[in-house]
């Protein structure tokens, strides 16, 4: 499963790249607002920092506008994925962008049928918003499972990218159902490394090592 960072903050992108763990980045208009800079500088810089796919969202709500914006965004860098909402005009635009060989991320998906339409239009990724569905009293993971089943049934190449991840268990469930990718905020990414027993046992090993005779000229630099 590919791991994407869901952020437009350059400090977070730099840190995650330094950890060597992320395969790409997803942005959205709210993330750019939070990042606080100008998208004309933020987007190219993220694309430079990250070698994998970088999703950048369109703002237009008509197919021609989305197509125009999508072409311009795709011109920023080879690794841009044009993010398009799964509204009727968006699905139409995904078909047009796809016909031009431009990769797309069909976003803000809340039903398996939206995902079916996005796949039929040739979307590269589908982004179901798990956490937001949970907040609405439904099961985000169930949606992701249904999309996985539909895509497997018909051999769609569209990649399942779970989004609006709220906790590490969403990441675990995504991996268990065979999501192709999962995008998460920086604190959740950081949390994936953690277990208190790991810290406890490591501390014990290091403290016991203090009692071991020094190995002069050995690999530990003693
Ligand atoms: C995905 O690509 C979106 O940017 C993101 O996951 C939206 O999540 P939110 O519900 O935290 O805004």
């Amino acid at each position: 499963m590919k791991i994407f960072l869901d952020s437009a903050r350059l400090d977070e992108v730099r840190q995650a790249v330094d950890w060597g763990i992320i395969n790409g980045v997803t942005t959205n208009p709210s993330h750019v607002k939070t990042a606080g800079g100008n998208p004309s500088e933020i987007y190219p810089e993220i694309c430079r920092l990250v070698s994998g796919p970088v999703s950048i969202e369109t703002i237009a709500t008509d197919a021609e506008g989305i197509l125009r914006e999508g072409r311009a965004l795709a011109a920023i860098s080879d690794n841009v994925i044009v993010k398009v909402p799964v509204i009727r005009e968006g699905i139409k635009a995904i078909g047009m962008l796809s016909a031009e060989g431009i990769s797309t991320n069909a976003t803000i998906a809340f039903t398996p049928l939206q995902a079916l339409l996005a796949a039929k239009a040739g979307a590269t990724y589908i982004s179901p918003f798990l956490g937001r569905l949970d907040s609405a009293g439904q099961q985000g993971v169930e949606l992701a499972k249904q999309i996985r089943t539909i895509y497997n049934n018909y051999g769609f190449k569209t990649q399942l990218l779970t989004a609006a991840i709220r906790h590490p268990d969403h990441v675990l469930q995504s991996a268990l159902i065979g999501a192709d990718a999962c995008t998460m905020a920086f604190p959740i990414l950081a949390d994936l490394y953690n277990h208190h027993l790991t810290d406890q046992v490591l501390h014990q090993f290091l403290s016991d090592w203090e009692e071991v005779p020094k190995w002069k000229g050995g690999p530990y630099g003693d």
Side-chain angles (χ1 to χ4, degrees):
M1 183 175 75
K2 284 178 268 195
I3 291 180
F4 294 160
L5 176 67
D6 197 21
S7 173
R9 280 181 49 175
L10 295 177
D11 58 335
E12 293 183 345
V13 174
R14 282 193 196 98
Q15 179 68 83
V17 167
D18 183 59
W19 287 343
I21 197 67
I22 59 164
N23 303 104
V25 168
T26 54
T27 66
N28 66 39
S30 301
H31 290 339
V32 176
K33 179 184 169 192
T34 303
N38 192 301
S40 66
E41 292 165 5
I42 291 176
Y43 289 153
E45 182 61 5
I46 295 176
C47 292
R48 194 188 67 76
L49 289 167
V50 179
S51 55
V54 176
S55 289
I56 302 180
E57 197 146 344
T58 52
I59 302 303
T61 51
D62 63 294
E64 285 302 326
I66 294 170
L67 180 62
R68 195 168 47 250
E69 291 177 4
R71 286 174 178 151
L73 292 172
I76 293 174
S77 174
D78 286 347
N79 55 345
V80 167
I81 309 290
V82 177
K83 215 171 172 190
V84 180
V86 289
I87 55 175
R88 196 180 304 166
E89 290 291 295
I91 297 290
K92 181 176 170 185
I94 285 170
M96 294 155 95
L97 288 162
S98 164
E100 293 187 12
I102 295 175
S103 300
T104 54
N105 177 349
T107 190
I108 326 181
F110 288 99
T111 79
L113 296 177
Q114 290 173 326
L116 173 63
L117 297 179
K120 288 178 73 70
T124 314
Y125 294 95
I126 180 73
S127 290
F129 277 27
L130 274 52
R132 288 194 186 236
L133 207 52
D134 290 354
S135 300
Q138 297 181 56
Q139 297 294 319
V141 171
E142 283 309 307
L143 167 62
K145 277 186 195 165
Q146 289 173 345
I147 296 172
R148 180 75 283 159
T149 300
I150 291 169
Y151 285 6
N152 288 351
N153 283 349
Y154 298 101
F156 284 119
K157 296 281 179 278
T158 304
Q159 297 180 51
L160 173 56
L161 162 52
T162 51
I165 295 299
R166 297 291 182 257
H167 40 69
D169 193 57
H170 271 151
V171 182
L172 172 60
Q173 296 305 322
S174 298
L176 289 173
I177 66 173
D180 301 287
C182 177
T183 189
M184 66 204 74
F186 187 83
I188 296 172
L189 179 69
D191 215 16
L192 299 187
Y193 291 89
N194 297 335
H195 193 279
H196 69 280
L197 287 175
T198 303
D199 297 338
Q200 188 182 312
V201 175
L202 177 63
H203 181 265
Q204 180 196 328
F205 285 172
L206 294 180
S207 120
D208 285 347
W209 189 252
E210 291 299 313
E211 311 299 320
V212 171
K214 300 296 178 221
W215 177 357
K216 292 205 185 312
Y220 303 113
D222 291 329

